Amino acid sequence: MARVYNFSAGPAVLPEEVLQEAAQEMLDYRGTGMSVMEMSHRSAAFKGIIEEAEADLRTIMSIPDNYKVLFLQGGATQQFAAIPMNLLKTGKADYIVSGGWSKKAYKEAKKYGQINLVASSEDQNFTYVPNVDELELSPDADYVYICENETVYGNKFHKLPQTGDVPLVADVSSCFLSEPIDVTKYGLIYGGVQKNVGPAGVVIVIVREDLIREDLPEYVPTIMQYKTQADAGSMSNTPPCYGIYICGKVFKWILAQGGLEGMQKRNQEKAAVLYDYLDSTDFYQAPVRKEDRSIMNVPFVTGDADLDAEFVKGAKAKGIENIKGHRSVGGMRASIYNAMPIEGVKALVEYMKEFEASHR
Ligand SMILES: *Cc1c(COP(=O)(O)O)cnc(C)c1O
């Protein structure tokens, strides 16, 4: 068995311990004689799994009692529609666009209301996040929307917009559980788990109870109403059972690593190894403005597309996989999520140095 260093942006690397444990329980989950994949979502065994997962997530993030935790399907993309459908009341919302994901969310929301683009960093190909101190927010908006960490461009809001009484909604798909978070600063937090938390197929929505409404427009599908799933404990229909089970194991792993403080320390150390090297050479360039850099997704380029392609090819031979950048940025991107060990980042930097030395 040879495991590679997997820098994929998502689905992405998972903790090896979690995969080992899942492998051991594959055929017989704790004496049930069946795999978690084969059991009823109404069974006592699965009830235990989902309840423990939620309890552990609440502990990790210190989620207050007046927030519901929903384990849903449809990915982050379905939430681009579910959020305006559930939260628009006056019909107005403010969106900040700092990359491709928030741009998609903005476009989708426009189908459902009067959506105001308050700021965008598209003018410089999303190499920065808009200044949150200079936003002209609408006081009567139903919510303000951000994508906290833009996976493709590798930028991050290190400071949140001050939205007063207007709820802040954040897509945290690619920075979920990567550092401590104050849940009370948000009305709704959501993320597809396949970036930093688990396998594809689960999206977690953490939503303040007063934002869960019954008086929704007729057109809102029953299954997309937060009320439906909140009342049913995420089991209005069959939940993504196996994915939730793996997320539960990742939550235990995070707790064992010192919770979100532990994750932050680990992630900052890894990011420093990579950014320190990038800042020490002019052979590679990291396009994002320093103060807006993500510690999860790190894009870099040589400035020469052929050289970039050669870099990616050579990386593969070193067991460094999925390092090719997104087509909209080009070059390379290292996604260094929670489960990426520091050895992986060191191996990458070693290879970058060798490549620089032989191609300068
Ligand atoms: C990957 C990603 C999405 C889309 O997720 P799906 O689960 O594929 O719908 C949305 N937002 C961000 C920030 C992402 O990284």
Side-chain angles (χ1 to χ4, degrees), residues 9-10 74-78 80 101-102 145 147-152 171-174 190-195 201-203 297 337:
T77 305
Q78 189 172 84
F80 295 171
W101 293 117
S102 41
Y145 184 100
C147 174
E148 201 160 323
N149 185 89
E150 278 283 357
T151 323
V152 170
D171 175 356
V172 299
S173 296
S174 49
Y190 78 99
V193 303
Q194 75 273 23
K195 307 291 159 67
V202 184
V203 59
N297 312 99
Y337 297 122

Side-chain angles (χ1 to χ4, degrees), residues 79-99:
Q79 294 305 311
F80 295 171
I83 286 163
M85 281 182 179
N86 280 273
L87 301 191
L88 286 177
K89 209 166 180 177
T90 69
K92 278 196 209 167
D94 284 347
Y95 274 63
I96 302 169
V97 168
S98 55

Side-chain angles (χ1 to χ4, degrees), residues 14 50 57 78 97 122 198 251 293 304 343:
L14 287 167
I50 193 169
L57 184 63
Q78 189 172 84
V97 168
E122 193 167 14
F251 299 157
R293 283 172 168 174
D304 173 337
E343 292 76 20

